Amino acid sequence: MFYFILATLATPRNHTIDDTIGDDITGDVPTYTPSSVWNAGQDCPSCSVQPDQSLAFDQTWHAATYGPSDNTPRSIDFSFNGTAIYVFGIIANKVSGATTLTNITVVLDGKRVGSFVHTPDNTNTLKYNVLLYGSPSIPRNNHHVTLQLNGATSTSLLLFDYAIYT
Ligand SMILES: *[C@@H]1O[C@H](CO)[C@@H](O)[C@H](O)[C@H]1NC(C)=O
């Protein structure tokens, strides 16, 4: 019994933070800023990029664009308690009439820790479960993640699907 408890404590486990359902332990849902520009992608018939809902984690994602003419920066915030973090999105390529460049900065606990840029190619392929940021080893603690869209020079699109933390 003693060994069983030790083994249980020592075994890292993954948990998910879905864009809509939130953290599978705490129920906390990510914050979308400004909330008015973020679409629940699966409920957005007017959105140019239409991923296959059945291929998205929990069949949901959040979408927004940010470009040079937009005043308010777009971001997503969430917190977790763990030792690793992986952020996943959906990536688009050529979609007629739409800007599908993805260009984001990742901020962890107030520090810029990474960026993700995808320049669309000439295919119509959508890619699911694309790792936007991963950090396999961070101190066991409460952590805060901010995903910022970079749109100063070219419009950036983000389709955020879910995060996994350990
Ligand atoms: C958690 O998920 C990440 C990303 O999918 C994976 O690389 C890692 O091995 C998983 N860790 C555990 C403990 O399952």
Side-chain angles (χ1 to χ4, degrees):
M1 186 60 185
F2 179 68
Y3 291 105
F4 171 76
I5 291 169
L6 270 186
T8 304
L9 285 174
T11 305
R13 275 161 212 269
N14 272 350
H15 291 279
T16 55
I17 302 174
D18 179 61
D19 71 292
T20 297
I21 295 167
D23 188 311
D24 67 11
I25 304 180
T26 65
D28 289 350
V29 174
T31 305
Y32 299 90
T33 307
S35 60
S36 58
V37 309
W38 285 93
N39 290 298
Q42 72 285 353
D43 297 325
C44 182
S46 65
C47 287
S48 308
V49 183
Q50 292 288 335
D52 180 340
Q53 194 173 349
S54 70
L55 297 179
F57 183 79
D58 277 338
Q59 286 83 57
T60 61
W61 64 95
H62 268 70
T65 57
Y66 180 47
S69 60
D70 296 318
N71 293 322
T72 320
R74 278 73 159 129
S75 57
I76 301 175
D77 284 271
F78 59 87
S79 296
F80 65 97
N81 191 313
T83 58
I85 182 70
Y86 308 88
V87 180
F88 297 90
I90 304 169
I91 293 301
N93 285 299
K94 195 172 156 197
V95 174
S96 86
T99 305
T100 54
L101 170 73
T102 298
N103 182 344
I104 65 167
T105 294
V106 181
V107 177
L108 179 65
D109 301 329
K111 289 196 189 96
R112 186 191 162 131
V113 290
S115 60
F116 178 91
V117 177
H118 174 77
T119 306
D121 63 27
N122 252 339
T123 70
N124 299 319
T125 312
L126 291 176
K127 288 198 174 136
Y128 300 83
N129 306 301
V130 175
L131 183 69
L132 304 179
Y133 176 72
S135 186
S137 178
I138 53 178
R140 178 189 301 274
N141 214 329
N142 284 310
H143 297 286
H144 187 89
V145 172
T146 305
L147 308 175
Q148 301 169 337
L149 275 77
N150 301 322
T153 50
S154 303
T155 299
S156 171
L157 164 74
L158 176 59
L159 305 166
F160 168 65
D161 192 357
Y162 62 102
I164 291 177
Y165 66 94
T166 309

